[in-house]
Amino acid sequence: MRGWLIVGVLAMAGIAMGQSKFAVTLRDFEVKPGVRVSREVVADIRTRLGDALANSGRFTLLERKQLKEFVAEQELGDSGMTDGEVPQSNALRSSKWIIYGTVMNCSVSRYLVNGVAFQRQTLEMQLRLANGESGEVVAIKTVNGEASAGTLIKQEQHELSAEALREVVQDLVAKACDGIIDVIDPARVVSVNRKYVFVNLTEAQVKEGDRLEVLTGEDVPVGNLIVVIPGIRNSRCEPDDESMLEDFSKGMRVVRAQEKPQRAKPKPSNMNRLRNMRR
């Protein structure tokens, strides 16, 4: 949940954790006045984000039309005019999330490499997650999509190329999806046995050798894990050299660890050199 500005208590997250999937609705995304981004690009971001959330296997996407039909069915059931079973409103609203966003900036910056001009493309979006029952904004996240490498440009070029824009949008959507999952369904330790620590990260999210940091509910570091067997639903991990299995327990939060700095090898002392020479 790092990087998120929390402005409300995540009470509904605890209720929804017991459900297999989380119901979410994506509203239409907006563009900040003065930002040069077409409506087609914004619609593409929304569509791709919806696909990414659905493909994660953690969310059920409710479109606005479906939501209206659901509410109408609820009202009909509450009136007593139907004998059919109608979903309870609290059941949906307790697990319902509204996601909307605004494109805040779209820029092309220039830099030189050996006198050759390149461009770096950046697309910035502010996402908001709201409680579907109260409408309260629970979390705010700013994500930046960037092209992985600069592209050669002409002196008069100032706009994103179509190819670069696709790459920027893909990067933006991937980061937005990860951030939403981190708030709504954060990665946690699901069980510990005599050999492995199991975390609810899938093979689509981690790969063998990835390092994960484990924290308590108060964000106190517990230790680090190494992913050894990525799985379809959960991944098997082993403690690193500085952690023990006994350090971890079910429910602890998991985040991606920072890369461990390489330790410089100590230089042999003069005494050690003399000993090696005598051997």
Side-chain angles (χ1 to χ4, degrees):
M1 218 176 292
R2 293 177 176 178
W4 285 86
L5 173 63
I6 304 301
V7 295
V9 180
L10 296 178
M12 56 184 283
I15 299 174
M17 283 295 290
Q19 301 181 5
S20 58
K21 290 188 178 182
F22 299 84
V24 298
T25 293
L26 288 177
R27 287 184 182 172
D28 292 336
F29 291 169
E30 303 295 333
V31 180
K32 183 179 178 180
V35 177
R36 297 178 61 183
V37 177
S38 69
R39 298 302 307 176
E40 290 78 10
V41 170
V42 178
D44 185 42
I45 293 173
R46 180 184 178 278
T47 299
R48 288 176 181 269
L49 181 56
D51 292 344
L53 292 173
N55 292 335
S56 71
R58 302 188 185 193
F59 302 95
T60 297
L61 235 60
L62 295 179
E63 294 294 341
R64 184 174 299 175
K65 180 180 178 182
Q66 292 175 297
L67 190 59
K68 289 181 179 179
E69 292 175 353
F70 182 90
V71 172
E73 192 70 18
Q74 280 184 346
E75 293 175 347
L76 186 62
D78 292 340
S79 68
M81 297 176 63
T82 177
D83 295 330
E85 292 186 3
V86 178
Q88 296 296 314
S89 58
N90 290 337
L92 174 67
R93 291 173 182 171
S94 63
S95 62
K96 185 72 177 60
W97 295 81
I98 305 294
I99 302 171
Y100 55 102
T102 303
V103 177
M104 304 297 291
N105 189 31
C106 179
S107 63
V108 180
S109 59
R110 298 183 174 213
Y111 62 97
L112 297 176
V113 177
N114 297 327
V116 180
F118 288 80
Q119 67 176 357
R120 181 179 291 109
Q121 305 86 13
T122 304
L123 195 62
E124 178 184 307
M125 169 166 280
Q126 184 186 82
L127 289 170
R128 291 174 179 259
L129 274 70
N131 182 316
E133 181 179 3
S134 66
E136 177 187 9
V137 175
V138 175
I140 301 173
K141 170 71 173 179
T142 299
V143 291
N144 291 285
E146 297 180 353
S148 59
T151 53
L152 185 64
I153 61 171
K154 298 178 181 179
Q155 191 67 25
E156 66 274 9
Q157 188 174 355
H158 294 280
E159 296 183 354
L160 298 177
S161 65
E163 181 180 354
L165 185 57
R166 283 194 298 269
E167 186 176 350
V168 171
V169 169
Q170 289 173 355
D171 184 49
L172 177 73
V173 168
K175 292 175 180 176
C177 183
D178 288 343
I180 291 169
I181 289 174
D182 195 33
V183 169
I184 297 180
D185 188 17
R188 296 187 181 277
V189 174
V190 294
S191 65
V192 182
N193 63 16
R194 295 181 179 180
K195 188 175 181 180
Y196 297 113
V197 177
F198 293 82
V199 300
N200 62 341
L201 292 172
T202 68
E203 58 190 9
Q205 298 170 289
V206 293
K207 63 182 183 299
E208 183 179 350
D210 281 356
R211 295 182 68 251
L212 305 173
E213 183 180 4
V214 179
L215 311 170
T216 66
E218 290 75 31
D219 285 351
V220 178
V222 174
N224 292 323
L225 297 171
I226 307 296
V227 178
V228 292
I229 306 178
I232 298 176
R233 297 190 63 182
N234 299 317
S235 295
R236 300 183 187 184
C237 305
E238 292 179 345
D240 68 0
D241 296 337
E242 300 175 0
S243 304
M244 305 281 291
L245 276 170
E246 294 77 13
D247 297 335
F248 307 99
S249 61
K250 181 178 178 180
M252 289 182 173
R253 196 161 65 86
V254 177
V255 297
R256 198 170 295 276
Q258 299 294 323
E259 289 297 325
K260 199 171 185 178
Q262 296 290 333
R263 295 181 180 178
K265 295 182 178 180
K267 296 181 179 180
S269 63
N270 292 332
M271 184 64 69
N272 287 336
R273 291 176 182 173
L274 291 174
R275 288 175 182 171
N276 293 333
M277 290 175 64
R278 288 173 184 175
R279 291 176 184 172

